[in-house]
């Protein structure tokens, strides 16, 4: 079995690198490609493919059947982490959603504990990092992948307290130290966007100071000369 998405491939590699235990729950599984691949490759023994909608779950069942993994990838219908309340997991993957929604999913069932969390937010990843810090999660690794025109960030976390700076929350505590070419590409692009926005604003605009501060943070992290 192959994953034809660079994003899903990077997520699978992050899970393989930090695999702890043999049972994973994939929340918002859509077509169940990720859990089927992980089981097919022997990275995990059992997976729960969870989705809130009937349509995606039906697609999941088709994928599971096509790879003859009915005994190892179990489709579960339900909202967020609710389907796995009675199904202990070593790892939880929540990928392809907004960071705010992902925070709400984690917050709805604080009683559910896993050894590792693989989180890939399409938007508001800074708000997700802030949530993790304020709710006793520790970011132990981060990676980036470019799929088409989009650059995605993947977080591996575990339970435990961590203090993050403003720069850590925005740029990622691991990513900003590594300064990969993809990191620089993303933030140089973002810096150009902030320059263009500032050109359209007067200094007395309510958002002007906030954007200037954000721009300066990016310049400092990228070591852009004055």
């Amino acid at each position: 079995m192959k994953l034809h998405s660079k994003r899903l491939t990077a997520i699978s590699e992050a899970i393989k690198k930090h695999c702890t235990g043999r049972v994973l729950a994939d929340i918002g599984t859509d077509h169940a490609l990720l859990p089927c691949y992980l089981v097919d490759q022997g990275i995990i023994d059992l997976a729960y493919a969870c989705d809130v909608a009937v349509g995606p779950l039906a697609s999941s069942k088709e994928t599971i059947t096509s790879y003859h993994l009915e005994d190892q990838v179990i489709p579960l219908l339900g909202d967020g982490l609710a389907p796995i309340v009675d199904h202990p997991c070593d790892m939880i993957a929540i990928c392809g959603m907004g960071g705010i929604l992902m925070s709400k999913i984690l917050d709805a069932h604080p009683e559910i504990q896993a050894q590792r969390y693989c989180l890939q937010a399409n938007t508001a990843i800074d708000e997700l990092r802030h949530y993790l810090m304020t709710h006793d999660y520790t970011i132990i690794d981060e990676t980036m992948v470019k799929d088409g025109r989009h650059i995605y960030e993947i977080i591996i976390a575990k339970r435990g307290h961590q203090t993050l700076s403003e720069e850590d929350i925005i740029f990622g505590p691991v990513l900003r130290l590594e300064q990969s070419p993809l990191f620089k590409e993303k933030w140089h692009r973002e810096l150009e966007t902030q320059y263009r926005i500032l050109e359209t604003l007067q200094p007395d605009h309510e958002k002007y100071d906030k954007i200037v501060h954000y721009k300066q943070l990016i310049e400092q992290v990228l070591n852009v000369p004055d």
Side-chain angles (χ1 to χ4, degrees), residues 187-198 211:
W187 288 106
H188 275 293
R189 186 192 301 175
E190 181 65 17
L191 186 57
E192 290 298 323
T193 299
Q194 300 312 307
Y195 287 154
R196 290 195 296 271
I197 292 173
L198 282 175
I211 293 173

Side-chain angles (χ1 to χ4, degrees), residues 177-220:
L177 293 178
E178 292 181 346
Q179 294 270 329
S180 70
L182 208 51
F183 177 89
K184 293 177 180 178
E185 177 183 341
K186 171 183 176 173
W187 288 106
H188 275 293
R189 186 192 301 175
E190 181 65 17
L191 186 57
E192 290 298 323
T193 299
Q194 300 312 307
Y195 287 154
R196 290 195 296 271
I197 292 173
L198 282 175
E199 289 176 355
T200 69
L201 299 180
Q202 296 297 321
D204 59 351
H205 192 280
E206 61 180 355
K207 294 184 178 179
Y208 187 86
D209 290 342
K210 182 178 180 180
I211 293 173
V212 168
H213 177 66
Y214 182 47
K215 174 188 73 71
Q216 289 173 341
L217 286 176
I218 300 173
E219 290 172 336
Q220 290 168 10

Side-chain angles (χ1 to χ4, degrees), residues 34-93:
L34 179 66
C36 284
Y37 176 81
L38 294 171
V39 168
D40 180 73
Q41 296 297 304
I43 298 169
I44 57 174
D45 294 330
L46 177 68
Y48 298 106
C50 308
D51 210 288
V52 69
V54 173
L57 200 71
S59 298
S60 298
K61 292 176 181 178
E62 292 178 5
T63 303
I64 294 164
T65 301
S66 68
Y67 289 103
H68 309 291
L69 296 172
E70 294 90 341
D71 293 335
Q72 292 175 277
V73 183
I74 313 301
L76 298 175
L77 181 66
D79 189 9
L81 299 179
I84 61 168
V85 167
D86 297 321
H87 300 280
C89 299
D90 303 305
M91 297 171 285
I92 293 173

Side-chain angles (χ1 to χ4, degrees), residues 124-127 129-130 142 153 164-173 175-176 183 186-187 190 210 213-215 217-218 221:
I125 195 165
D126 55 335
E127 297 197 38
R129 289 193 185 100
H130 184 267
E142 295 175 300
E153 299 178 20
L164 299 177
S165 66
E166 182 181 17
E167 291 84 356
D168 289 333
I169 289 171
I170 294 172
F171 304 101
L175 296 176
R176 77 180 185 93
F183 177 89
K186 171 183 176 173
W187 288 106
E190 181 65 17
K210 182 178 180 180
H213 177 66
Y214 182 47
K215 174 188 73 71
L217 286 176
I218 300 173
V221 167

